[in-house]
Amino acid sequence: MKGFFRLLGILFALITILMGLFLLAKDENTADHAIRSWSIIAMSGALIFNGGYYYLKDRSKQGIVMTSVGAVILIMVLSVFPF
């Protein structure tokens, strides 16, 4: 289970980095709100899964804080993001 959480955390972090690079390469006038929202969702996924990994690894408070912050950010973005 720890390995699965770690793998998902790394994948979400890579998606976040790639979307950020894509936004940097795009023209400012054509930057899309949806791409920014999806990158924030990917970032919160990375926080949730990496926090879950650290919690399962050491039962540390750091994992709980990371997971909680990721969940709060995810809820905030999903409440504003139009589907």
Side-chain angles (χ1 to χ4, degrees), residues 40-51:
I40 293 172
I41 289 171
M43 186 244 344
S44 64
L47 281 172
I48 289 170
F49 287 112
N50 284 333

Side-chain angles (χ1 to χ4, degrees), residues 1-65:
M1 189 69 160
K2 287 189 297 187
F4 180 70
F5 274 29
R6 186 68 171 169
L7 177 69
L8 282 177
I10 290 171
L11 287 175
F12 275 111
L14 287 174
I15 290 169
T16 303
I17 291 168
L18 290 175
M19 289 182 124
L21 290 174
F22 180 73
L23 281 173
L24 283 175
K26 269 184 101 172
D27 196 14
E28 228 179 88
N29 296 331
T30 60
D32 195 13
H33 177 69
I35 295 172
R36 289 184 184 149
S37 297
W38 281 113
S39 67
I40 293 172
I41 289 171
M43 186 244 344
S44 64
L47 281 172
I48 289 170
F49 287 112
N50 284 333
Y53 168 76
Y54 284 121
Y55 179 72
L56 291 176
K57 180 181 164 194
D58 297 330
R59 302 280 186 220
S60 65
K61 292 182 182 178
Q62 175 187 4
I64 294 172
V65 170

